[in-house]
Amino acid sequence: MKKQRVTLSILLVALSGTVMGQSSDDVLNLLQSKGTITAAEADSLRSAAAIAKWSSLKNRSFGVDLEFRPRTEFRYGYSALPVETSTPAFFTSQRTRLTFNFHQKGEFRFLTTLQDVRVWGDKDFRSTAGTVQIYEAWVEPVLSPELTLRLGRQRLIYDNERLFAQNNWRQTGSSYDAAVLKYEGGGIVNDLVVAWNQHTEQTFSTAYTSPSASNPYFKALIFNFTTFSPVPAIKLTSLQVADGFEDPDYSEKINFRYTNGGRIDWKSGDLSATLASYYQWGTVTKGRGKEFDLSAWYAQPEVKLIVGDFTYRLGAEVLSGTGSKFEGTDHSFVPLYGVAHRFNGFMDQITSFPSHVGDGGLINPYFFTSWKLNPTITLNGDFHGFWSYAEVLDSKKNALKPYLGTELDLVVLWKVNNYTNLEAGFSLADWERSFTTIRKAGDPSIVNHFTYLQLTWRPTLFFIEQ
């Protein structure tokens, strides 16, 4: 008799579980409360119903990816300028990421990435404190065949990453809490990004305390990214940004900085050229309670030529600066939330604008060479020169020479297999007294150098598609 009742409940669950999950659970709870089935039998039936429901779904995929990236570094002039008494730093850092990616085609995507970043030896092996953090966690429902909405913590990567980047060199990377309305159709890609930051669930007020005092986060962000090709040889990119920071005197007031511009790319065979340009304006606050107008600009022309196994890139970055003669308007361009590592040298001496250049802006001509030695090994050599855009004075009001220094970056890339890459780099930099004076650190007679060895192991651990 009992076996018949269980059989009946299985039929009920199988029928209702595929139609309405909550109803099947109610039926099981009712049968359990009346003593028709046991709790163990109810749990077993719930599991069977869940498996049956999962098996009935189509057009979906689920994957698990791993990234394991240890990097050993020998620093003597990376990020900070050495003096005579400085000794080199030597350590290994490690990033481990585990990404879960579910995709129900035509309905939604869900992705989350767990991340652990550490320096070998920085944790007490007896500690119970957790170190795993959420690097990404977002859902992206499909609104129409061309329109989706991505919500949650996510990377914001646009154009060549000069203004918005994932900052992949840094082991922690960069990700943001945002809503992104994404359109792709008719050859046009368009993203509308909106973000609003708060440090906690408040009862009143929208006052925002940035997690970083030295590099305050924006309180509000909205921007639009569009790219399309009017003809096959030309691609146009537009990026229009407004990021707002809380007024130090009144938390409900936001001072907005606007950045408008874009890029044009042209390509003909092995020759290509690009030009990016942005104008920055709005209101900035220098010192508590003092607001100033902003009027700054940025330009990056570049020519690229491929000759056999060699690729050459010749270009320059120019960022306007205010200099020491401030006359009521700030002319220092800030490249927002982009990457500096690949644009201003691997030694990361110029990453924070305008402080790292003393409000003087920057002129950075560069020449990059890449040689594909064979299908798995590539050699890269990057050369940078650095000059101030605007005049900067020292503490005695004497004008500093505009030439700041040079840097040479050499990198060997070995693609061991489809999921393993080995990268070794060596950098040299020679900084002038003008740069050490601006940074208030370092000895210009010392040649800075930096060496690293990095392994990236990124296999797919599991993937299923139905």
Side-chain angles (χ1 to χ4, degrees):
M1 183 64 181
K2 188 173 182 180
K3 186 177 295 185
Q4 291 176 336
R5 289 174 179 171
V6 173
T7 302
L8 176 60
S9 64
I10 291 173
L11 292 174
L12 288 172
V13 172
L15 177 63
S16 57
T18 57
V19 178
M20 189 179 296
Q22 186 60 45
S23 298
S24 65
D25 206 47
D26 292 343
V27 171
L28 287 172
N29 289 336
L30 178 62
L31 293 173
Q32 186 180 337
S33 66
K34 291 181 176 298
T36 306
I37 59 175
T38 65
E41 289 171 335
D43 290 340
S44 177
L45 290 169
R46 287 189 183 94
S47 299
I51 293 173
K53 186 176 181 180
W54 169 263
S55 300
S56 68
L57 297 174
K58 301 298 180 186
N59 299 319
R60 67 210 166 117
S61 63
F62 176 70
V64 180
D65 297 301
L66 169 69
E67 183 189 70
F68 176 72
R69 196 177 82 164
R71 183 169 68 218
T72 298
E73 302 182 34
F74 185 85
R75 294 180 172 181
Y76 190 71
Y78 172 89
S79 184
L81 296 168
V83 294
E84 188 177 353
T85 56
S86 301
T87 56
F90 180 68
F91 62 89
T92 297
S93 61
Q94 175 186 312
R95 177 171 84 191
T96 308
R97 286 178 175 171
L98 200 58
T99 299
F100 302 87
N101 189 350
F102 178 84
H103 187 194
Q104 182 72 50
K105 293 179 182 176
E107 295 189 25
F108 73 95
R109 284 187 64 195
F110 167 73
L111 182 145
T112 187
T113 300
L114 306 179
Q115 170 176 278
D116 174 72
V117 175
R118 61 183 60 232
V119 174
W120 287 6
D122 71 336
K123 301 291 188 301
D124 184 343
F125 61 85
R126 296 159 295 192
S127 172
T128 57
T131 59
V132 176
Q133 57 186 224
I134 298 291
Y135 175 61
E136 285 188 285
W138 51 261
V139 294
E140 186 175 343
V142 176
L143 306 180
S144 76
E146 296 85 14
L147 202 62
T148 63
L149 179 62
R150 182 175 295 183
L151 300 167
R153 190 152 191 85
Q154 57 191 287
R155 295 175 293 173
L156 297 178
I157 306 171
Y158 289 98
D159 193 30
N160 63 351
E161 300 193 42
R162 193 57 178 118
L163 299 188
F164 289 93
Q166 62 175 329
N167 286 294
N168 194 49
W169 165 259
R170 193 169 60 222
Q171 295 285 39
T172 54
S174 295
S175 57
Y176 302 84
D177 303 309
V180 183
L181 186 64
K182 305 173 79 68
Y183 172 85
E184 184 170 358
I188 298 175
V189 174
N190 184 282
D191 281 11
L192 177 63
V193 181
V194 179
W196 174 261
N197 285 335
Q198 292 285 273
H199 64 277
T200 188
E201 296 180 0
Q202 301 185 100
T203 307
F204 299 103
S205 170
T206 64
Y208 177 55
T209 302
S210 172
S212 172
S214 59
N215 187 18
Y217 286 15
F218 58 81
K219 183 173 183 176
L221 172 71
I222 180 169
F223 70 87
N224 181 263
F225 170 83
T226 304
T227 184
F228 71 102
S229 296
V231 296
I234 295 177
K235 185 174 79 171
L236 302 177
T237 299
S238 166
L239 190 55
Q240 316 303 325
V241 186
D243 54 337
F245 297 85
E246 189 169 285
D247 189 280
D249 287 333
Y250 180 44
S251 62
E252 304 307 314
K253 180 183 177 183
I254 299 176
N255 296 320
F256 275 95
R257 173 179 60 188
Y258 304 92
T259 305
N260 305 110
R263 172 184 304 279
I264 178 169
D265 292 294
W266 169 83
K267 183 177 182 181
S268 177
D270 292 330
L271 179 64
S272 59
T274 183
L275 173 64
S277 183
Y278 295 95
Y279 177 66
Q280 206 163 63
W281 57 285
T283 304
V284 294
T285 303
K286 284 191 172 182
R288 184 175 176 80
K290 291 188 176 181
E291 299 175 358
F292 300 99
D293 291 334
L294 172 65
S295 177
W297 58 272
Y298 167 92
Q300 186 218 358
E302 180 186 290
V303 177
K304 177 180 175 182
L305 177 64
I306 300 175
V307 181
D309 295 326
F310 288 87
T311 300
Y312 304 99
R313 292 170 56 195
L314 177 64
E317 266 205 320
V318 183
L319 293 82
S320 69
T322 304
S324 297
K325 296 179 181 177
F326 182 71
E327 297 176 343
T329 299
D330 191 340
H331 298 295
S332 294
F333 185 90
V334 176
L336 301 183
Y337 313 98
V339 62
H341 184 76
R342 76 168 67 160
F343 289 92
N344 300 137
F346 289 0
M347 297 189 72
D348 285 347
Q349 287 289 1
I350 303 176
T351 59
S352 181
F353 290 88
S355 61
H356 281 184
V357 290
D359 260 327
L362 183 69
I363 301 174
N364 172 203
Y366 58 82
F367 180 62
F368 296 167
T369 303
S370 179
W371 178 25
K372 198 170 182 58
L373 197 60
N374 60 45
T376 62
I377 297 179
T378 303
L379 308 179
N380 293 329
D382 299 350
F383 178 80
H384 297 267
F386 302 103
W387 282 262
S388 286
Y389 170 83
E391 185 178 71
V392 179
L393 307 180
D394 63 14
S395 58
K396 298 180 180 178
K397 305 301 180 184
N398 297 316
L400 297 173
K401 293 181 179 178
Y403 176 56
L404 304 176
T406 59
E407 180 174 329
L408 174 66
D409 303 317
L410 303 173
V411 176
V412 181
L413 300 170
W414 179 24
K415 185 177 180 181
V416 181
N417 54 43
N418 288 335
Y419 53 85
T420 307
N421 290 295
L422 192 62
E423 178 177 337
F426 176 71
S427 298
L428 280 174
D430 183 24
W431 299 107
E432 296 296 308
R433 185 170 299 281
S434 54
F435 188 64
T436 58
T437 301
I438 288 172
R439 294 291 300 274
K440 298 182 175 65
D443 183 341
S445 66
I446 296 176
V447 176
N448 297 223
H449 56 89
F450 170 53
T451 306
Y452 72 91
L453 178 65
Q454 175 176 283
L455 169 70
T456 303
W457 200 60
R458 193 180 291 146
T460 295
L461 303 181
F462 176 80
F463 182 78
I464 184 172
E465 185 173 28
Q466 291 182 315

